[in-house]
Amino acid sequence: MSITSRLKQQLFIQAQKVVPQHRLSRVVGKIAASENPVVKTAVISAFKAKYGIDMSIAEQTNALKYSSFNDFFTRGLRTGVRQVDSDVTSIVSPADGAISQLGKIEDGDVFQAKGQKFTVEALIADPQLAQPFKNGEFATVYLSPRDYHRVHMPFAGTLTETLYVPGELFSVNQVTAENIPGLFARNERMVCLFDTELGRMAVVLVGAMIVAGIETVATGKVKPSGRIELNQHDLFLEKGAELGRFYLGSTAIILFEENKMQWDEKFKANSTVLMGEALGHTI
């Protein structure tokens, strides 16, 4: 990497540390939720052009028919464009995106990027709820701005708890993953915990810079309170069922218990994935 590129990276990281992350996200959130025709048309048109959004796979292919940028960003897909792997042993990608990392949780440590890791206890923010995953398996899926932004179930299970954890709002791209220690365990997040045929499973929806919100089917859109909030549930969701949504790009992390499943060897860091694609299988 050139000195210029390295300097740009460091400026990017330092800027995130001084910018008022939550205030900026609230401002962006108001713009994203606006149904003013002038505002939403301008924002949707600019975003669509910048990121080359493929509207042909969307349920509503006319971007300007959406009521707001949020409505556009969380758009549904046309029936049949994503197939959920039907093998009863398969564990599928919860979202369209790219694998950030996946593999073994080593004595409670989750690999983040070169030289960086975080503990599963810090991620879940509850030692007792984190215990089943201490030597389990994890996969981290990064959703870029151009991706489909609904998060689905990787395996069938009963949602038993959701745990909202307040935190920072660093960007979650590769640069920050390599330079911000414990990134995913520092950012605001919603931890969803399940009972499954494989034992415990977790899906963690991680917020990020200017992400205007996280939503789950059990809680609705999260209202940040500044404190940890634990809620009990009893909601069964099939593999591939919608679990939640991101309002702007972020990351989903899935966790399983030890010796319950294995990842397909073809998936590595930076592998692209589609929602419903088999990432691994039960053992």
Side-chain angles (χ1 to χ4, degrees):
M1 182 186 295
S2 69
I3 294 175
T4 301
S5 297
R6 195 173 294 118
L7 179 60
K8 285 181 178 178
Q9 282 193 2
Q10 289 306 310
L11 288 173
F12 176 65
I13 297 298
Q14 293 305 315
Q16 292 185 65
K17 293 180 178 179
V18 299
V19 72
Q21 298 172 342
H22 290 274
R23 189 181 308 162
L24 176 60
S25 295
R26 285 195 297 270
V27 170
V28 172
K30 289 180 180 179
I31 295 171
S34 174
E35 296 186 5
N36 179 292
V38 175
V39 173
K40 67 108 173 179
T41 296
V43 177
I44 290 173
S45 297
F47 188 90
K48 182 173 174 288
K50 178 176 176 60
Y51 292 106
I53 305 300
D54 180 9
M55 296 302 297
S56 69
I57 63 173
E59 194 171 30
Q60 168 55 263
T61 58
N62 186 339
L64 300 184
K65 289 285 187 181
Y66 293 91
S67 62
S68 66
F69 177 79
N70 276 346
D71 190 32
F72 158 76
F73 193 80
T74 58
R75 60 195 175 276
L77 296 178
R78 240 180 345 103
T79 301
V81 299
R82 293 289 180 272
Q83 299 295 323
V84 177
D85 189 271
S86 60
D87 189 327
V88 295
T89 70
S90 68
I91 292 157
V92 303
S93 175
D96 286 6
I99 298 295
S100 177
Q101 298 291 339
L102 84 170
K104 184 77 175 173
I105 300 170
E106 301 285 354
D107 196 25
D109 286 338
V110 182
F111 183 61
Q112 177 174 297
K114 60 178 183 180
Q116 304 291 352
K117 61 184 178 181
F118 55 91
T119 68
V120 70
E121 284 191 5
L123 178 69
I124 293 179
D126 183 304
Q128 185 174 348
L129 293 175
Q131 182 60 33
F133 309 107
K134 188 174 180 181
N135 291 292
E137 301 282 343
F138 81 97
T140 303
V141 180
Y142 168 67
L143 292 72
S144 76
R146 66 170 56 87
D147 288 319
Y148 165 64
H149 273 79
R150 299 188 186 186
V151 178
H152 295 253
M153 290 287 287
F155 196 74
T158 298
L159 179 67
T160 55
E161 294 96 6
T162 55
L163 189 68
Y164 165 73
V165 185
E168 300 181 84
L169 290 174
F170 289 109
S171 169
V172 291
N173 63 20
Q174 190 64 25
V175 173
T176 47
E178 292 177 358
N179 289 276
I180 301 291
L183 172 66
F184 301 121
R186 291 173 64 174
N187 272 14
E188 179 180 78
R189 55 204 178 277
M190 176 63 82
V191 180
C192 302
L193 293 149
F194 301 86
D195 283 335
T196 78
E197 291 181 359
L198 300 179
R200 295 292 272 171
M201 176 182 79
V203 181
V204 184
L205 283 65
V206 183
M209 182 74 75
I210 73 171
V211 170
I214 297 171
E215 179 178 325
T216 76
V217 294
T219 63
K221 194 169 182 180
V222 175
K223 296 179 180 178
S225 62
R227 64 181 184 276
I228 292 177
E229 294 183 0
L230 175 65
N231 288 292
Q232 306 294 324
H233 305 277
D234 184 15
L235 176 64
F236 180 77
L237 294 167
E238 294 282 2
K239 179 169 68 176
E242 184 178 335
L243 171 61
R245 303 178 184 186
F246 284 118
Y247 293 82
L248 286 184
S250 199
T251 293
I253 303 173
I254 53 179
L255 309 171
F256 286 95
E257 288 190 32
E258 182 179 11
N259 297 326
K260 298 294 185 177
M261 56 79 59
Q262 61 184 19
W263 304 113
D264 191 312
E265 291 183 355
K266 72 179 181 181
F267 292 107
K268 310 292 183 184
N270 300 315
S271 297
T272 58
V273 293
L274 296 177
M275 188 282 289
E277 182 178 4
L279 294 179
H281 290 81
T282 64
I283 56 175

